[in-house]
Amino acid sequence: MSTTESLHIVCPHCHTTNRIASANLSAAPDCGKCHRPLFTGHPVALDEAAFEKHIARSQVPVLVDFWAPWCGPCRMMAPAFEQAAQQLEPGMRLAKVNTEEAQALAARFNIRSIPTLALFMNGREVARQPGAMGAADIVRWARSQRV
Ligand SMILES: [Zn+2]
């Protein structure tokens, strides 16, 4: 891997695609459009339109938590997913999809139970894990996938 290699990183605030040199990924890069940090240490909440942009354009894997506000295990897992974001960024983007609001996405990806974690790379799903997990297990599972 050369130091001039660059990656497409989708901004969690304005959803613009940025081109960032791989070597600068961990140097807290800002978005060229909105000038806010491209990585915040927090999962980004995605509606359907933003989901499409991140999944299609992100050149780092996107780990998505499909959840719903009425789901107790989902709410229990939320702090763990927050902690996992701090450990997995900037090598991955962590995102949350509220299946109550984005029902078409839940149907398209055939989400049968929540919470469900799904890992996307280059526009397609490469791994899926239903059920609530602690932060350490989320990190271990995400890193064990070949992406
Ligand atoms: Zn931005």
Side-chain angles (χ1 to χ4, degrees):
M1 187 185 286
S2 90
T3 52
T4 54
E5 188 175 325
S6 63
L7 291 171
H8 287 163
I9 303 295
V10 183
C11 176
H13 312 289
C14 70
H15 310 298
T16 296
T17 304
N18 285 252
R19 199 176 173 86
I20 302 294
S22 309
N24 294 338
L25 203 57
S26 51
D30 286 340
C31 174
K33 187 173 185 189
C34 72
H35 307 294
R36 297 171 73 185
L38 286 175
F39 291 97
T40 61
H42 299 286
V44 54
L46 299 177
D47 61 15
E48 292 183 29
F51 177 90
E52 302 295 349
K53 290 179 182 171
H54 280 261
I55 295 304
R57 299 176 188 165
S58 175
Q59 290 182 323
V60 294
V62 183
L63 179 61
V64 180
D65 172 17
F66 288 94
W67 72 288
W70 50 261
C71 158
C74 298
R75 291 199 305 271
M76 273 176 49
M77 192 173 83
F81 199 63
E82 284 271 345
Q83 287 176 39
Q86 290 166 20
Q87 295 182 53
L88 291 169
E89 289 186 357
M92 285 188 192
R93 166 72 68 208
L94 272 67
K96 293 174 75 82
V97 169
N98 181 341
T99 56
E100 276 278 282
E101 294 172 353
Q103 293 184 6
L105 282 182
R108 183 171 128 206
F109 290 101
N110 201 16
I111 303 299
R112 295 170 182 275
S113 66
I114 49 173
T116 286
L117 290 183
L119 189 64
F120 293 85
M121 187 64 201
N122 295 323
R124 65 185 189 91
E125 182 181 342
V126 294
R128 173 181 293 206
Q129 179 69 47
M133 285 191 280
D137 285 335
I138 295 170
V139 169
R140 195 177 305 121
W141 179 79
R143 287 187 174 150
S144 70
Q145 307 305 319
R146 293 178 173 272
V147 292

